[in-house]
C-alpha cells in the first residue's frame, strides 16, 4: 500500500488527494458543487450532492492514478466545519438542505440566548461564542422548523452530523454515526474539557442526546468503507475539521507553534498543548485534535477579509487583472506613503469585533497612486494578522518563534516578507501547501501504521521559503501603533 487518500470536503468543492509516504501529493481530483442562497444571509448546500461529489472524486483520483483500493492504506477526512446536516437513520435521506457555516439565520436565537445570560456558560464549556457560525443553533432551528423533527429525534429516528459524520455514514453504508473531537468542538454542544456532549447546553438548546454522533479520537481505525463504493474496503482512520487538519499538516505539533492560512479570510491557530487556554480577547478556544485519549487544544482567530481584499482590488476597483498582479504593483513603491486601508468590508473580526464598522481608505494625497493602494491592501492583511497574533500571545503567555503559512495568498512573497517584518518573527512557507488534506492524511496514516509517529510526519515538513524580519523593532512598533490609531478612529466613527 503506497498511498493515503485525503477527502477534503470544502465549502465550494470536494477534493480527493493521494499522498505518498513522504507526504507528497501524488494525484488530485476536484469537483465543485452548488451554493444555495434562499434568503439574504442564508447559505445552504445539498448534502446529497456533497456526498455524490465526494465519492465521485475519490473514485476519479484512483482511476486517474491507475490505482485500486488495495493500493490505499487509509482514508482521512477533513471538512468545512460547523455545517449542519440532519438525516433519517432509516432511509439515510437528509430532512433538509445542509445549513452552511456562513449562514446567519440563527442570529436572533443567539441574541435571545445572550440576553438570557447564557453566553458565559457556553464559552466556559465549549470555548466558543454565541454566534450563528456554530452548529448548535442551526440544529435547533432544523428541529423547530421541520414538523415532528424534535419528537423523531427524541425517539432516535434522526441523526445530526457535521460533514465528516455525514460522509462517514455514507462511506460505511449507514453503519457508523461518529464525529471527532475537533469537529465536535465547533458545535456549541461539546464540553471541550470533559470530552463529552454537555447535558446542560443540550437542554438550553432543546436538543435530544439521541440525535448526536459518538465522539471519537481524530486518529483511529473507525471502520472500513463499504466495499461496493471504491472496489474494495479501505480503512477510514482520520478525521479533523479543516483548520485543525491544516495545523496538523503544518506539523505545528508542540505548544506555541502556529500557522496562518491566507485564503479568502485568514485563519490563525496556535497549538496550546494540553491546556485549553481561555481568551480575554474573544478568540476561540478549540480542540485541535485528539490522539488516543489526549486532547490537544488551540487558540483560533479569524479575519474575514484576507485574500478577499485583493479580490476587491480586482473586482471592485479594477486596478489589477488577477490576484497575483498585486505583488508587482505593490512592489513598485517603497511603501504605502501613509495610506491606510481599513478592511472592515464586513465589519471587523477578532480582536476588534466591530460588526457595524465600514471600510475606509485614509491618508491619501494628490501623489497617491493605485500602487500605494495595492501596498496598503497588503499591509491590511499583514496588520490584521499581527493583531490576531498579539491577542494570542497575550492570552497564552507564549511568544511565537515562527509562523508557518499556507493558502492561496501565501504564494505572494512580498506579502510574506511584510508579514515577517510586522511580526518580528520568521514566516515560513512549506513545500507542500496542501496542508489541510495532508493533515487528514497524516491522522489516517498514523492510525494504520503507514506512518509511525508524530515525529515521523513532522520530519516530512520541508521549507519552501523562509522570510526573516527586515525592519527594526522601533519601525515595527511605529507602524503597528499608526494602524491601531487609524482603526480606533474609524471604528469609533
Ligand atoms: P479559499 O480556500 O478561501 O478559497 P485560497 O487559499 O484558494 O482561498 O486563496 C484564494 C485567495 O487568495 C483569493 O482571495 C485571492 O484573491 C488570494 N490570492 C491568490 N493569489 C494571490 C497573490 N499572489 N497575492 C495576494 N492574494 C492572492
Amino acid at each position: 500500500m503506497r498511498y493515503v487518500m485525503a477527502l477534503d470536503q470544502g465549502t465550494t468543492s470536494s477534493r480527493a488527494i493521494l499522498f505518498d509516504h513522504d507526504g507528497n501529493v501524488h494525484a488530485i481530483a476536484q469537483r465543485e458543487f452548488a451554493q444555495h442562497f434562499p434568503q439574504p444571509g442564508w447559505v445552504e448546500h445539498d448534502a446529497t450532492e456533497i456526498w455524490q461529489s465526494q465519492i465521485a472524486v475519490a473514485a476519479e483520483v484512483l482511476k486517474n492514478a491507475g490505482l485500486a483500493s488495495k493500493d490505499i492504506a487509509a482514508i482521512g477526512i477533513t471538512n468545512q466545519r460547523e455545517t449542519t446536516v440532519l438525516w433519517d437513520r432509516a432511509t439515510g435521506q437528509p430532512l433538509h438542505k445542509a445549513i452552511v457555516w456562513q449562514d446567519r439565520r440563527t442570529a436572533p436565537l443567539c441574541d435571545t440566548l445572550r440576553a438570557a445570560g447564557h453566553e458565559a456558560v457556553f464559552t466556559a464549556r465549549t470555548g466558543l461564542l454565541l454566534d450563528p457560525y456554530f452548529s448548535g443553533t442551526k440544529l435547533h432551528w432544523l428541529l423547530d422548523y421541520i414538523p415532528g423533527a424534535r419528537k423523531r429525534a427524541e425517539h432516535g429516528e434522526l441523526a445530526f452530523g457535521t460533514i465528516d459524520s455525514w460522509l462517514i455514514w455514507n462511506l460505511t453504508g449507514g453503519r457508523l454515526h461518529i464525529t471527532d473531537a475537533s469537529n465536535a468542538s465547533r458545535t456549541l454542544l461539546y464540553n471541550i474539557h470533559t470530552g463529552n456532549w454537555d447535558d446542560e447546553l443540550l437542554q438550553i438548546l432543546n436538543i435530544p442526546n439521541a440525535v448526536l454522533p459518538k465522539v471519537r479520537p481524530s486518529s483511529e481505525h473507525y471502520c472500513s468503507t463499504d466495499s461496493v463504493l471504491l472496489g474494495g474496503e479501505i480503512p477510514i482512520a482520520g478525521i479533523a475539521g479543516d483548520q485543525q487538519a491544516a495545523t496538523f499538516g503544518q506539523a505545528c505539533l508542540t505548544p506555541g507553534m502556529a500557522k496562518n492560512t491566507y485564503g479568502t479570510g485568514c485563519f490563525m491557530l496556535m497549538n496550546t498543548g494540553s491546556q485549553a487556554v481561555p481568551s480575554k480577547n474573544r478568540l476561540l478556544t478549540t480542540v485541535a485534535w485528539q490522539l488516543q485519549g489526549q486532547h490537544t487544544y488551540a487558540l483560533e482567530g479569524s479575519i474575514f477579509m484576507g485574500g478577499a481584499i485583493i479580490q476587491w482590488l480586482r473586482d471592485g476597483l479594477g486596478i489589477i487583472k488577477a490576484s497575483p498582479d498585486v505583488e508587482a504593483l505593490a512592489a513598485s513603491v517603497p511603501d504605502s506613503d501613509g495610506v491606510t486601508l481599513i478592511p472592515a468590508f464586513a465589519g471587523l473580526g477578532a480582536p476588534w469585533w466591530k460588526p457595524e464598522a465600514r471600510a475606509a481608505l485614509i491618508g491619501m494625497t494628490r501623489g497617491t497612486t493605485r500602487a500605494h493602494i495595492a501596498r496598503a491592501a497588503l499591509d491590511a492583511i499583514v496588520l490584521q494578522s499581527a493583531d490576531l497574533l498579539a491577542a494570542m500571545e497575550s492570552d497564552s503567555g507564549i511568544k511565537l518563534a515562527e509562523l508557518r503559512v499556507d493558502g492561496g495568498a501565501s504564494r505572494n512573497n512580498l506579502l510574506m516578507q511584510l508579514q515577517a517584518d510586522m511580526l518580528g518573527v520568521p514566516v515560513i512557507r512549506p513545500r507542500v501547501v496542501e496542508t489541510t488534506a495532508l493533515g487528514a492524511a497524516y491522522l489516517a496514516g498514523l492510525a494504520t501504521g503507514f506512518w509511525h509517529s508524530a515525529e515521523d510526519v513532522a520530519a516530512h515538513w520541508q521549507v519552501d521559503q523562509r522570510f526573516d524580519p527586515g525592519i527594526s523593532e522601533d519601525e515595527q512598533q511605529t507602524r503597528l501603533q499608526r494602524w491601531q490609531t487609524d482603526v480606533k478612529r474609524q471604528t469609533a466613527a
Side-chain angles (χ1 to χ4, degrees), residues 95-364:
L95 275 81
H96 192 275
K97 287 224 168 53
I99 304 185
V100 179
W101 57 272
Q102 297 149 322
D103 190 292
R104 309 298 296 174
R105 79 184 63 182
T106 58
L109 173 59
C110 291
D111 291 343
T112 307
L113 291 167
R114 205 175 299 108
H118 289 309
E119 184 153 62
V121 66
F122 278 98
T123 300
R125 308 266 173 91
T126 70
L128 308 175
L129 304 165
L130 273 178
D131 188 277
Y133 184 17
F134 307 108
S135 318
T137 58
K138 298 182 196 294
L139 176 56
H140 173 100
W141 187 92
L142 287 169
L143 293 175
D144 268 2
Y145 177 78
I146 302 164
R150 188 167 275 107
K151 267 271 158 311
R152 296 191 64 204
E154 279 164 13
H155 293 146
E157 294 171 23
L158 305 184
F160 149 76
T162 40
I163 295 293
D164 53 312
S165 302
W166 169 243
L167 292 180
I168 290 176
W169 173 274
N170 283 289
L171 284 167
T172 61
R175 275 177 293 153
L176 213 56
H177 183 212
I178 61 170
T179 186
D180 90 301
S182 75
N183 276 292
S185 76
R186 315 297 295 187
T187 59
L188 270 184
L189 309 172
Y190 180 74
N191 186 318
I192 60 171
H193 309 288
T194 64
N196 294 307
W197 298 118
D198 190 292
D199 287 334
E200 189 180 341
L201 303 183
L202 290 173
Q203 204 176 357
I204 296 172
L205 284 170
N206 198 7
I207 290 172
N209 203 298
V211 79
L212 302 173
K214 195 163 164 29
V215 184
R216 302 277 289 265
S218 313
S219 175
E220 185 185 349
H221 182 178
Y222 312 105
C223 194
S224 291
T225 57
D226 201 337
S227 60
V228 300
L229 292 170
L230 295 167
E233 295 187 357
I234 304 175
I236 305 168
I239 314 174
D242 54 10
Q243 296 306 322
Q244 289 98 325
T247 309
F248 204 86
Q250 283 277 23
C252 292
L253 302 178
T254 52
M257 294 184 81
K259 70 92 196 174
N260 198 13
T261 299
Y262 298 80
T264 308
C266 295
F267 285 91
M268 192 183 285
L269 271 79
M270 178 189 267
N271 181 327
T272 61
S274 57
Q275 302 290 327
V277 175
S279 178
K280 291 185 210 71
N281 297 293
R282 291 176 70 80
L283 301 174
L284 306 176
T285 308
T286 202
V287 174
W289 47 79
Q290 182 189 351
L291 296 180
Q292 286 101 34
Q294 182 73 42
H295 283 125
T296 294
Y297 296 95
L299 277 169
E300 173 176 326
S302 48
I303 295 165
F304 307 137
M305 296 289 289
I309 301 174
I310 310 305
Q311 291 170 332
W312 177 72
L313 298 185
R314 186 192 61 195
D315 307 334
L317 295 187
I319 63 172
I320 49 173
K321 281 217 177 68
S323 295
D325 300 345
V326 72
E327 185 167 358
L329 182 60
S332 69
V333 288
D335 55 43
S336 73
D337 192 27
V339 176
T340 304
L341 173 61
I342 297 171
F345 295 93
L348 280 179
W352 300 93
W353 294 108
K354 298 282 184 186
E356 315 299 337
R358 303 283 295 245
L361 193 55
I362 57 178
M364 290 184 285

